[in-house]
C-alpha cells in the first residue's frame, strides 16, 4: 500500500511540475511571438498574457490585442482573446473570440459582433503547426463598417476545413453554411423596392475543395497567406424566398489570381434575380437588356421559362456566356 501511495504522490508531483513548466513555456512562447512580429515591422501589442487551467488545461488569456501587418494592410483589434488546449493534447486547440472586435483592410474598417465565436483546430505536432482540420462557428454574427451603415448579419455561420490526407498537404476540403443571412437594410431596400423578399435568406451553403500553393501553417500568419491554385466547387446554393441559385464547377488559378475554368449556375425565377442584380448595380445597364434576351431564349429552349441552367466560362480575365463577355473575372488572391 505504501508503495502505491508513493507512486501516486510521485506521479502527482511530476504532473504538477509538467503543468507549471508547460504553462511558463506557453507564456514565454506567446510573448516571444509578439516580439518577433514587432521585429518584422508589425504593430503587435497586448495588455497581458496569463496561462491558467491547472491541472488539465493550458488556457492562454490575452487582453487588449492589436495586430497590424504593414505588408498587407490588414489589422485586428480585440479586447480579449483565448486559446484553450488540453495539457495532454496541446495540438488540439480552441480559439475563442470576444463579442466585439475590429478588422481592418486597406479599404475599410469593420466591427464584428457575435454572441459566440470560436474555432476548434487540430494541428500537426511539429514546429510548423500545419492545420489538419478546423471548425469555426459564430452565432448572432453581424459585420458593420465603422464608417456607418446597416450591418450584414447571420443567425449562425459554420465553416469546416479538413486537409485531404491522400493528397498533398495543401489540399483542403471545405464546407460553409450560413443560416438566417440578413443583407444590410439599406441594400435590401434598394434592390427590393416592392418588399417582395423576406428579410433573411433561408440558408446559404457551399461544398468545395481548394488546392493551395503551400499548406496552412504558422507561416500563413507570420509570412504570407497560401494562395489558391485550384478550386473545385461541388455545390453552392442559396434560397431567398422564391429565388434559388445553385452553382458547380472548377477553375485553375494562375499566379496573378485569375481563374480559368467553367461554372454552371442553375437559377429559379431567374428574371427576378437578374432584376436584383440590376438594382444592386452588379449588372451594368448596357448588358442587362441583351443578357435578359439571351437568357430568355435559353430558358425557352429548355422548356421551363422560369428555370435556367447558365454555363459560364472564365478565361482571359473575363467571364463569358458563350461568345458574350459578361464582366471581369474575380481576382482570387488572399492578402
Amino acid at each position: 500500500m505504501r508503495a502505491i501511495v508513493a507512486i501516486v504522490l510521485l506521479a502527482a508531483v511530476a504532473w504538477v511540475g509538467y503543468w507549471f513548466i508547460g504553462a511558463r513555456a506557453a507564456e514565454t512562447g506567446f510573448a516571444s511571438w509578439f516580439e518577433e512580429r514587432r521585429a518584422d515591422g508589425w504593430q503587435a501589442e497586448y495588455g497581458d498574457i496569463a496561462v491558467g487551467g491547472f491541472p488539465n488545461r493550458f488556457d492562454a488569456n490575452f487582453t487588449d490585442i492589436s495586430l497590424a501587418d504593414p505588408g498587407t494592410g490588414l489589422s485586428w483589434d480585440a479586447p480579449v482573446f483565448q486559446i484553450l488546449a488540453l495539457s495532454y493534447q496541446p495540438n488540439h486547440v480552441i480559439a475563442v473570440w470576444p463579442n466585439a472586435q475590429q478588422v481592418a483592410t486597406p479599404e475599410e474598417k469593420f466591427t464584428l459582433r457575435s454572441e459566440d465565436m470560436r474555432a476548434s483546430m487540430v494541428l500537426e505536432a511539429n514546429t510548423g503547426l500545419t492545420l489538419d482540420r478546423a471548425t469555426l462557428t459564430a452565432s448572432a454574427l453581424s459585420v458593420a463598417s465603422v464608417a456607418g451603415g446597416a450591418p450584414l448579419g447571420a443567425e449562425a455561420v459554420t465553416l469546416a476545413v479538413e486537409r485531404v490526407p491522400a493528397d498533398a498537404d495543401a489540399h483542403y476540403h471545405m464546407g460553409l453554411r450560413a443560416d438566417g443571412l440578413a443583407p444590410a437594410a439599406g441594400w435590401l431596400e434598394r434592390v427590393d423596392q416592392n418588399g417582395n423578399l423576406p428579410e433573411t435568406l433561408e440558408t446559404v451553403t457551399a461544398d468545395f475543395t481548394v488546392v493551395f500553393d503551400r499548406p496552412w501553417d504558422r507561416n500563413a500568419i507570420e509570412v504570407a497567406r497560401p494562395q489558391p491554385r485550384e478550386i473545385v466547387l461541388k455545390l453552392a446554393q442559396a434560397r431567398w424566398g422564391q429565388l434559388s441559385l445553385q452553382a458547380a464547377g472548377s477553375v485553375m488559378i494562375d499566379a496573378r489570381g485569375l481563374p480559368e475554368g467553367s461554372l454552371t449556375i442553375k437559377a429559379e425565377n431567374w428574371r427576378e434575380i437578374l432584376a436584383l442584380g440590376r438594382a444592386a448595380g452588379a449588372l451594368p445597364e448596357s448588358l442587362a437588356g441583351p443578357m435578359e434576351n439571351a437568357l430568355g431564349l435559353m430558358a425557352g429552349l429548355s422548356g421551363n421559362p422560369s428555370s435556367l441552367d447558365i454555363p459560364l466560362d472564365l478565361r482571359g480575365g473575363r467571364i463569358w456566356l458563350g461568345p458574350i463577355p459578361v464582366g471581369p473575372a474575380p481576382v482570387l488572391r488572399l492578402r
Side-chain angles (χ1 to χ4, degrees):
M1 177 63 70
R2 291 181 179 179
I4 295 175
V5 172
I7 292 172
V8 170
L9 289 175
L10 183 61
V13 170
W15 184 260
V16 170
Y18 162 76
W19 188 92
F20 279 100
I21 291 172
R24 179 57 180 167
E27 286 186 13
T28 302
F30 286 128
S32 297
W33 188 88
F34 278 86
E35 292 176 3
E36 291 168 2
R37 300 291 71 72
R38 288 192 290 268
D40 289 339
W42 287 41
Q43 176 190 342
E45 307 296 338
Y46 61 90
D48 184 47
I49 301 175
V51 176
F54 179 81
N56 293 320
R57 304 184 63 86
F58 292 132
D59 294 344
N61 298 276
F62 303 81
T63 62
D64 300 323
I65 285 185
S66 182
L67 290 172
D69 179 1
T72 63
L74 299 176
S75 68
W76 172 57
D77 295 277
V80 292
F81 181 61
Q82 293 180 299
I83 298 177
L84 316 177
L86 294 171
S87 54
Y88 51 85
Q89 195 177 11
N91 63 315
H92 184 183
V93 302
I94 296 175
V96 183
W97 284 266
N99 298 126
Q101 55 190 306
Q102 289 191 334
V103 175
T105 72
E107 291 79 26
E108 201 164 0
K109 191 172 188 177
F110 301 92
T111 297
L112 279 67
R113 299 185 185 278
S114 61
E115 288 185 359
D116 183 76
M117 179 186 290
R118 63 184 60 216
S120 173
M121 297 175 285
V122 176
L123 310 171
E124 290 189 359
N126 55 37
T127 56
L129 301 178
T130 303
L131 178 66
D132 184 68
R133 62 185 184 273
T135 301
L136 169 70
T137 60
S139 61
L141 177 66
S142 71
V143 182
S145 171
V146 173
L152 170 71
E155 294 174 4
V157 175
T158 301
L159 173 65
V161 180
E162 184 174 19
R163 184 167 56 87
V164 178
D167 208 333
D169 287 344
H171 189 177
Y172 293 90
H173 180 208
M174 303 184 183
L176 173 67
R177 181 184 179 96
D179 295 316
L181 184 65
W187 182 88
L188 180 59
E189 293 170 359
R190 185 171 69 252
V191 302
D192 183 32
Q193 298 180 5
N194 296 324
N196 296 323
L197 293 170
E199 294 183 356
T200 61
L201 285 76
E202 296 172 17
T203 303
V204 177
T205 62
D207 181 2
F208 56 104
T209 61
V210 183
V211 177
F212 293 91
D213 59 358
R214 50 193 176 80
W216 282 86
D217 54 22
R218 62 183 299 170
N219 288 328
I221 297 175
E222 299 174 0
V223 181
R225 262 51 68 198
Q227 297 302 320
R229 288 294 173 255
E230 180 184 3
I231 300 176
V232 177
L233 178 60
K234 183 178 180 181
L235 179 64
Q237 53 188 347
R239 178 168 289 278
W240 192 9
Q242 298 301 312
L243 309 182
S244 176
L245 274 178
Q246 295 182 342
S250 62
V251 295
M252 302 296 293
I253 303 163
D254 65 19
R256 300 169 295 172
L258 295 177
E260 299 267 342
S262 61
L263 189 68
T264 299
I265 297 176
K266 182 178 179 63
E268 295 180 14
N269 296 314
W270 63 270
R271 292 185 187 275
E272 289 81 356
I273 295 174
L274 200 65
L276 289 179
R278 295 175 70 172
L283 182 62
E285 288 294 332
S286 59
L287 288 176
M291 182 176 292
E292 185 170 2
N293 293 334
L295 295 179
L297 179 60
M298 293 174 60
L301 293 173
S302 71
N304 186 350
S306 65
S307 180
L308 186 63
D309 288 344
I310 308 170
L312 299 175
D313 289 322
L314 295 91
R315 63 180 187 274
R318 300 191 70 82
I319 302 173
W320 300 80
L321 174 60
I324 303 173
V326 177
V331 177
L332 304 178
R333 286 194 61 81
L334 301 178
R335 285 185 175 275

